[in-house]
Coordinates of all heavy atoms in Angstrom, one line a residue:
M25 N 96.6 88.7 90.2 CA 97.4 88.3 91.3 C 96.5 87.9 92.5 O 95.4 88.4 92.7 CB 98.2 89.5 91.7 CG 99.0 89.2 92.9 SD 100.3 90.5 93.2 CE 101.2 90.5 91.6
E26 N 96.9 86.9 93.2 CA 96.1 86.4 94.3 C 96.5 87.0 95.7 O 97.6 87.0 96.0 CB 96.2 84.8 94.5 CG 95.6 84.1 93.4 CD 94.1 84.2 93.3 OE1 93.5 84.0 94.5 OE2 93.6 84.3 92.3
I27 N 95.5 87.6 96.3 CA 95.7 88.2 97.7 C 95.4 87.2 98.8 O 94.5 86.4 98.5 CB 94.9 89.5 97.9 CG1 95.5 90.6 97.1 CG2 94.7 89.8 99.3 CD1 94.8 92.0 97.4
N28 N 96.1 87.0 99.8 CA 95.8 86.2 100.8 C 94.7 86.8 101.7 O 94.9 87.9 102.2 CB 97.1 86.0 101.8 CG 96.9 85.1 103.0 OD1 95.8 85.1 103.6 ND2 97.7 84.1 103.1
T29 N 93.5 86.4 101.5 CA 92.4 86.9 102.1 C 92.4 87.1 103.7 O 91.9 88.1 104.2 CB 91.0 86.2 101.7 OG1 91.0 84.9 102.2 CG2 90.9 86.3 100.2
K30 N 93.0 86.2 104.3 CA 93.2 86.2 105.8 C 94.1 87.4 106.1 O 93.7 88.2 107.1 CB 93.7 85.0 106.4 CG 92.8 83.7 106.3 CD 91.5 83.9 107.1 CE 90.7 82.7 106.9 NZ 89.4 83.0 107.4
K31 N 95.1 87.5 105.5 CA 96.1 88.6 105.7 C 95.4 90.0 105.4 O 95.6 91.0 106.1 CB 97.3 88.6 104.9 CG 98.1 87.3 105.3 CD 99.4 87.3 104.5 CE 100.3 86.0 104.9 NZ 101.5 86.0 104.2
L32 N 94.6 90.0 104.4 CA 93.9 91.2 104.1 C 92.8 91.6 105.1 O 92.7 92.8 105.5 CB 93.2 91.1 102.8 CG 92.2 92.2 102.3 CD1 93.0 93.6 102.2 CD2 91.7 92.0 100.9
Q33 N 92.1 90.6 105.6 CA 91.2 90.8 106.8 C 91.9 91.3 108.0 O 91.3 92.2 108.7 CB 90.4 89.5 107.0 CG 89.4 89.2 105.9 CD 88.8 87.8 106.1 OE1 89.3 86.9 106.9 NE2 87.7 87.6 105.4
I34 N 93.0 90.7 108.3 CA 93.8 91.2 109.5 C 94.3 92.6 109.3 O 94.2 93.5 110.2 CB 95.0 90.3 109.7 CG1 94.5 88.8 110.2 CG2 96.0 90.9 110.8 CD1 95.7 87.8 110.2
A35 N 94.8 93.0 108.2 CA 95.2 94.3 107.8 C 94.0 95.3 108.0 O 94.2 96.4 108.6 CB 95.9 94.4 106.5
M36 N 92.8 94.9 107.5 CA 91.7 95.7 107.5 C 91.3 96.0 109.0 O 90.9 97.1 109.4 CB 90.5 95.2 106.8 CG 90.8 95.3 105.3 SD 89.5 94.3 104.3 CE 88.0 95.2 104.8
A37 N 91.4 94.9 109.8 CA 91.0 95.0 111.2 C 91.9 95.9 112.0 O 91.5 96.7 112.8 CB 91.1 93.6 111.8
R38 N 93.2 95.8 111.7 CA 94.2 96.8 112.3 C 93.9 98.2 112.0 O 94.1 99.1 112.9 CB 95.6 96.5 111.8 CG 96.2 95.2 112.4 CD 97.7 95.2 112.0 NE 98.2 93.9 112.4 CZ 98.9 93.1 111.5 NH1 99.1 93.6 110.3 NH2 99.4 92.0 111.9
K39 N 93.3 98.5 110.9 CA 93.0 99.9 110.5 C 91.5 100.2 110.8 O 91.0 101.3 110.5 CB 93.2 100.1 109.1 CG 94.6 100.1 108.6 CD 95.5 101.2 109.2 CE 95.1 102.5 108.6 NZ 95.9 103.6 109.1
C40 N 90.7 99.2 111.4 CA 89.3 99.4 111.8 C 88.5 99.7 110.5 O 87.7 100.7 110.6 CB 89.1 100.4 112.9 SG 90.0 100.0 114.4
M41 N 88.8 99.0 109.5 CA 88.1 99.2 108.2 C 87.2 98.1 107.9 O 87.6 96.9 108.1 CB 89.0 99.4 107.0 CG 89.8 100.7 107.0 SD 90.8 100.8 105.6 CE 90.7 102.6 105.2
N42 N 86.1 98.3 107.3 CA 85.2 97.4 106.7 C 85.3 97.4 105.2 O 86.0 98.3 104.7 CB 83.7 97.5 107.1 CG 83.1 98.7 106.8 OD1 83.3 99.2 105.7 ND2 82.2 99.2 107.6
P43 N 84.7 96.4 104.5 CA 84.9 96.5 103.0 C 84.5 97.9 102.4 O 85.1 98.4 101.5 CB 84.1 95.4 102.5 CG 84.1 94.4 103.6 CD 84.0 95.3 104.9
S44 N 83.4 98.4 102.9 CA 83.0 99.7 102.4 C 84.0 100.9 102.6 O 84.2 101.6 101.7 CB 81.6 100.2 103.1 OG 80.6 99.2 102.7
D45 N 84.6 100.9 103.8 CA 85.6 101.8 104.1 C 86.8 101.7 103.1 O 87.2 102.8 102.7 CB 86.1 101.7 105.5 CG 85.1 102.0 106.6 OD1 84.1 102.7 106.4 OD2 85.2 101.3 107.6
L46 N 87.2 100.5 103.0 CA 88.4 100.3 102.0 C 88.1 100.6 100.6 O 88.9 101.3 100.0 CB 88.9 98.8 102.1 CG 90.1 98.4 101.4 CD1 91.3 99.2 101.7 CD2 90.4 97.0 101.6
A47 N 86.8 100.4 100.2 CA 86.4 100.7 98.9 C 86.5 102.2 98.6 O 86.9 102.7 97.6 CB 85.0 100.1 98.6
V48 N 85.9 103.0 99.7 CA 86.0 104.4 99.5 C 87.4 104.9 99.5 O 87.7 105.8 98.7 CB 85.3 105.1 100.7 CG1 85.4 106.5 100.7 CG2 83.8 104.8 100.6
A49 N 88.2 104.3 100.3 CA 89.6 104.7 100.4 C 90.4 104.5 99.1 O 91.4 105.3 98.8 CB 90.4 104.0 101.6
I50 N 90.1 103.5 98.4 CA 90.8 103.2 97.1 C 90.1 103.5 95.8 O 90.5 103.4 94.8 CB 91.3 101.7 97.0 CG1 90.2 100.8 96.8 CG2 92.2 101.4 98.2 CD1 90.7 99.4 96.6
G51 N 88.8 104.0 96.0 CA 88.0 104.5 94.9 C 87.4 103.3 94.0 O 87.4 103.4 92.7
C52 N 86.9 102.3 94.7 CA 86.3 101.2 93.9 C 84.9 100.9 94.7 O 84.6 101.6 95.7 CB 87.1 100.0 93.8 SG 87.3 99.0 95.2
T53 N 84.2 99.9 94.3 CA 83.0 99.5 94.9 C 83.2 98.6 96.0 O 84.2 97.8 96.0 CB 82.1 98.9 93.8 OG1 82.5 97.6 93.4 CG2 81.7 99.8 92.7
S54 N 82.3 98.5 96.9 CA 82.4 97.6 98.0 C 82.2 96.2 97.5 O 82.7 95.2 98.1 CB 81.4 97.9 99.2 OG 80.1 97.9 98.7
T55 N 81.4 96.0 96.4 CA 81.3 94.7 95.9 C 82.6 94.1 95.4 O 82.9 92.9 95.7 CB 80.2 94.8 94.8 OG1 79.0 95.3 95.2 CG2 80.1 93.4 94.1
S56 N 83.4 95.0 94.7 CA 84.7 94.5 94.4 C 85.5 94.0 95.5 O 86.2 93.0 95.4 CB 85.4 95.7 93.6 OG 86.7 95.3 93.2
I57 N 85.5 94.8 96.6 CA 86.3 94.5 97.8 C 85.8 93.1 98.4 O 86.6 92.2 98.8 CB 86.3 95.5 98.8 CG1 86.9 96.9 98.3 CG2 87.0 95.1 100.1 CD1 88.4 96.6 97.9
Q58 N 84.5 93.0 98.4 CA 83.8 91.7 99.0 C 84.3 90.5 98.0 O 84.5 89.5 98.6 CB 82.3 91.9 99.0 CG 81.9 92.9 100.1 CD 80.5 93.2 100.1 OE1 79.8 93.0 99.1 NE2 80.0 94.0 101.0
Q59 N 84.3 90.7 96.7 CA 84.7 89.6 95.9 C 86.2 89.2 96.1 O 86.6 88.1 96.0 CB 84.5 90.0 94.4 CG 83.1 90.1 94.0 CD 82.8 90.7 92.6 OE1 83.7 91.3 92.1 NE2 81.7 90.4 92.0
I60 N 87.0 90.2 96.4 CA 88.5 90.0 96.6 C 88.6 89.2 98.0 O 89.3 88.2 98.1 CB 89.2 91.3 96.7 CG1 89.3 91.9 95.4 CG2 90.6 91.1 97.3 CD1 89.8 93.4 95.3
L61 N 87.7 89.6 98.9 CA 87.6 89.0 100.3 C 87.3 87.4 100.2 O 87.8 86.7 100.9 CB 86.9 89.7 101.3 CG 87.5 91.1 101.9 CD1 86.6 91.9 102.5 CD2 88.7 90.7 102.6
R62 N 86.3 87.2 99.3 CA 85.9 85.8 99.2 C 86.8 85.0 98.2 O 86.7 83.8 98.2 CB 84.5 85.9 98.4 CG 83.4 86.3 99.3 CD 82.0 85.9 98.7 NE 81.9 86.3 97.3 CZ 81.4 87.4 96.8 NH1 80.9 88.3 97.6 NH2 81.3 87.5 95.5
G63 N 87.8 85.7 97.6 CA 88.7 85.0 96.7 C 88.1 84.6 95.3 O 88.8 83.9 94.6
A64 N 87.1 85.4 95.1 CA 86.3 85.2 93.8 C 86.9 86.1 92.6 O 86.6 86.0 91.6 CB 84.9 85.5 93.9
R65 N 87.9 87.0 93.1 CA 88.4 87.9 92.2 C 89.9 88.2 92.5 O 90.3 88.3 93.7 CB 87.6 89.2 92.3 CG 88.1 90.3 91.4 CD 87.3 91.5 91.7 NE 87.3 92.4 90.4 CZ 86.5 93.4 90.3 NH1 85.5 93.5 91.0 NH2 86.6 94.1 89.2
G66 N 90.8 88.2 91.5 CA 92.2 88.6 91.6 C 92.3 90.1 91.7 O 91.4 90.8 91.6
V67 N 93.5 90.5 91.9 CA 93.8 92.0 92.0 C 94.9 92.3 91.1 O 95.9 91.6 91.0 CB 94.2 92.4 93.4 CG1 94.4 93.8 93.6 CG2 93.1 91.9 94.4
Q68 N 94.7 93.4 90.3 CA 95.8 94.0 89.5 C 96.9 94.6 90.3 O 96.5 95.1 91.4 CB 95.2 94.8 88.4 CG 94.4 94.2 87.4 CD 93.9 95.1 86.4 OE1 93.8 96.3 86.5 NE2 93.3 94.6 85.4
M69 N 97.9 94.8 89.7 CA 99.1 95.5 90.5 C 98.7 96.8 91.1 O 99.0 97.2 92.3 CB 100.4 95.6 89.7 CG 100.9 94.3 89.3 SD 101.6 93.5 90.7 CE 103.3 94.0 90.5
K70 N 98.0 97.6 90.3 CA 97.7 99.0 90.7 C 96.7 99.0 91.9 O 96.9 99.7 92.9 CB 97.0 99.8 89.6 CG 96.7 101.2 90.0 CD 96.2 102.0 88.8 CE 95.8 103.4 89.2 NZ 95.3 104.2 88.1
K71 N 95.8 98.1 91.8 CA 94.8 98.0 92.9 C 95.4 97.4 94.2 O 95.1 97.8 95.3 CB 93.6 97.1 92.6 CG 92.4 97.2 93.6 CD 91.2 96.5 93.1 CE 90.6 97.5 92.3 NZ 89.2 97.1 91.9
L72 N 96.4 96.5 94.0 CA 97.1 96.0 95.2 C 97.9 97.2 95.8 O 97.9 97.2 97.0 CB 98.1 94.8 94.7 CG 99.1 94.4 95.8 CD1 98.3 93.8 97.0 CD2 100.1 93.3 95.2
G73 N 98.5 98.0 95.0 CA 99.2 99.1 95.5 C 98.3 100.1 96.3 O 98.7 100.5 97.4
L74 N 97.1 100.3 95.8 CA 96.1 101.2 96.5 C 95.6 100.6 97.8 O 95.5 101.3 98.8 CB 95.0 101.4 95.5 CG 95.3 102.2 94.3 CD1 94.0 102.3 93.3 CD2 95.6 103.7 94.6
I75 N 95.4 99.3 97.7 CA 94.9 98.6 99.0 C 96.0 98.7 100.0 O 95.8 99.0 101.2 CB 94.6 97.2 98.7 CG1 93.3 97.2 97.9 CG2 94.4 96.4 100.0 CD1 92.9 95.8 97.3
S76 N 97.3 98.4 99.6 CA 98.4 98.4 100.5 C 98.7 99.7 101.2 O 98.9 99.9 102.3 CB 99.7 98.0 99.9 OG 99.6 96.7 99.3
K77 N 98.5 100.8 100.3 CA 98.7 102.2 100.8 C 97.6 102.5 101.8 O 97.9 103.1 102.9 CB 98.7 103.2 99.6 CG 99.1 104.5 99.9 CD 99.3 105.4 98.7 CE 99.7 106.7 98.9 NZ 99.9 107.5 97.7
A78 N 96.3 102.2 101.4 CA 95.2 102.6 102.4 C 95.3 101.9 103.6 O 95.0 102.4 104.8 CB 93.9 102.2 101.7
L79 N 95.9 100.6 103.6 CA 96.0 99.8 104.9 C 97.4 100.0 105.6 O 97.5 99.4 106.6 CB 95.8 98.3 104.6 CG 94.4 98.0 104.0 CD1 94.3 96.5 103.7 CD2 93.3 98.4 105.1
E80 N 98.3 100.8 104.9 CA 99.6 101.1 105.5 C 100.4 99.7 105.7 O 100.9 99.5 106.9 CB 99.4 101.9 106.7 CG 98.9 103.3 106.4 CD 98.8 104.2 107.6 OE1 99.1 103.7 108.8 OE2 98.4 105.3 107.6
V81 N 100.3 98.9 104.7 CA 101.1 97.6 104.8 C 101.9 97.5 103.5 O 101.7 98.1 102.5 CB 100.2 96.4 104.9 CG1 99.5 96.5 106.3 CG2 99.3 96.1 103.8
D82 N 103.0 96.7 103.5 CA 103.8 96.3 102.5 C 102.9 95.5 101.5 O 102.4 94.5 102.0 CB 105.0 95.7 102.9 CG 106.1 95.6 101.7 OD1 105.8 94.6 100.8 OD2 107.0 96.4 101.6
P83 N 102.9 95.7 100.2 CA 102.2 94.8 99.3 C 102.6 93.3 99.5 O 101.7 92.5 99.3 CB 102.4 95.3 97.9 CG 102.9 96.7 98.1 CD 103.5 96.8 99.4
A84 N 103.8 93.0 99.8 CA 104.2 91.6 99.8 C 103.5 91.0 101.0 O 103.5 89.8 101.1 CB 105.8 91.6 100.1
E85 N 103.0 91.7 102.0 CA 102.4 91.1 103.2 C 101.0 90.6 102.7 O 100.4 89.7 103.5 CB 102.2 92.2 104.3 CG 103.5 92.6 105.0 CD 103.1 93.6 106.0 OE1 102.1 93.4 106.8 OE2 104.0 94.5 106.3
L86 N 100.5 91.1 101.6 CA 99.1 90.6 101.3 C 99.0 89.5 100.3 O 97.9 89.0 100.0 CB 98.3 91.9 100.8 CG 98.2 93.0 101.9 CD1 97.4 94.2 101.0 CD2 97.4 92.6 103.1
I87 N 100.1 89.3 99.6 CA 100.1 88.3 98.4 C 100.5 86.9 99.0 O 101.3 86.8 99.9 CB 100.8 88.7 97.1 CG1 102.3 89.0 97.5 CG2 100.1 89.9 96.7 CD1 103.1 89.3 96.3
D88 N 100.0 85.9 98.3 CA 100.4 84.5 98.5 C 101.7 84.2 97.8 O 102.0 84.8 97.0 CB 99.3 83.6 98.1 CG 98.2 83.4 99.0 OD1 98.5 83.6 100.2 OD2 97.0 83.1 98.6

């Protein structure tokens, strides 16, 4: 699934999180989050749910 990277960056900024913070919050590597932010990697439903929960946004806000 494709995440809108701009919306993801905005949600991260609202929570004052950098890629490393988000990675720790959802239990993955910061490299994985950086790849998602670059658009080089899609996201499975479970990871989308974890990201949304960590950022306190609706998953629909993050997808294209």
Side-chain angles (χ1 to χ4, degrees):
M25 180 171 300
E26 290 293 320
I27 283 188
N28 184 310
T29 58
K30 294 293 181 194
K31 291 180 181 179
L32 177 57
Q33 290 172 342
I34 291 167
M36 289 172 63
R38 282 189 193 130
K39 294 294 288 181
C40 299
M41 288 183 143
N42 62 33
S44 296
D45 297 330
L46 183 56
V48 169
I50 69 168
C52 75
T53 65
S54 60
T55 301
S56 178
I57 299 299
Q58 291 169 352
Q59 290 173 339
I60 292 167
L61 287 168
R62 285 196 315 266
R65 179 182 203 163
V67 178
Q68 294 179 346
M69 295 293 266
K70 182 176 180 177
K71 190 170 279 188
L72 174 62
L74 292 171
I75 291 170
S76 299
K77 190 173 184 178
L79 297 175
E80 298 178 357
V81 296
D82 189 286
E85 290 182 39
L86 299 177
I87 58 174
D88 280 332

